[in-house]
Amino acid sequence: MVVNLADPDSNEDVLLDDQAVLSGQSVSSMYKLKDVTDEDGGFFCFGDLSAKIEGEYRLKFTLFEIVTTGAAHLMHVFSDVFRVYNAKSMPQLMDATFLSRSFSDQGVRIRIRKEHRVQV
């Protein structure tokens, strides 16, 4: 699966000639993991993905199948709209979800804060 940044209104890919709009790993293979109900499932994890440009966006997730002649596009879906903040106006980070912690415990490389930090 590949992820790209998309415009929240047109769903067109956000492309800039002189710089990358995403940093981190934008490609993921499927992981067989247990979900929060301890059921097996297939998950695509993008643990270190971040957007570099402030604004509102969607993520476009595109699924490919590897075939003998290359890769075949199967489908794509879009996330809900989200906001990217600059470093000065970014709100406090939320604690990791139970699902994120569960994936981390199963060996997926996701940055998880181990303890709740209190801002002074």
Side-chain angles (χ1 to χ4, degrees):
M1 179 169 286
V2 176
V3 64
N4 293 307
L5 208 56
D7 182 273
D9 299 318
S10 69
N11 289 340
E12 294 294 322
D13 288 357
V14 175
L15 303 171
L16 296 177
D17 294 333
D18 60 341
Q19 64 181 0
V21 293
L22 289 176
S23 65
Q25 188 172 342
S26 60
V27 177
S28 175
S29 295
M30 186 175 70
Y31 291 85
K32 181 182 176 187
L33 301 166
K34 300 275 186 188
D35 65 13
V36 294
T37 61
D38 207 33
E39 296 288 324
D40 286 335
F43 298 90
F44 297 91
C45 301
F46 300 92
D48 67 344
L49 189 67
S50 63
K52 293 182 170 186
I53 303 167
E54 186 177 7
E56 289 192 342
Y57 304 99
R58 293 180 188 271
L59 290 175
K60 177 182 177 184
F61 298 95
T62 306
L63 183 63
F64 293 92
E65 179 180 17
I66 304 301
V67 294
T68 56
T69 58
H73 175 266
L74 295 179
M75 65 177 297
H76 61 264
V77 295
F78 293 92
S79 71
D80 290 338
V81 175
F82 63 93
R83 176 138 187 82
V84 175
Y85 295 91
N86 67 34
K88 292 182 181 179
S89 63
M90 188 171 132
Q92 182 178 352
L93 292 176
M94 298 184 305
D95 288 336
T97 65
F98 182 74
L99 184 62
S100 296
R101 290 183 188 280
S102 174
F103 286 177
S104 178
D105 291 345
Q106 294 175 69
V108 176
R109 297 191 73 180
I110 301 174
R111 287 187 178 178
I112 302 286
R113 286 192 286 160
K114 297 298 180 187
E115 352 180 310
H116 181 69
R117 294 182 182 159
V118 179
Q119 282 190 326
V120 182

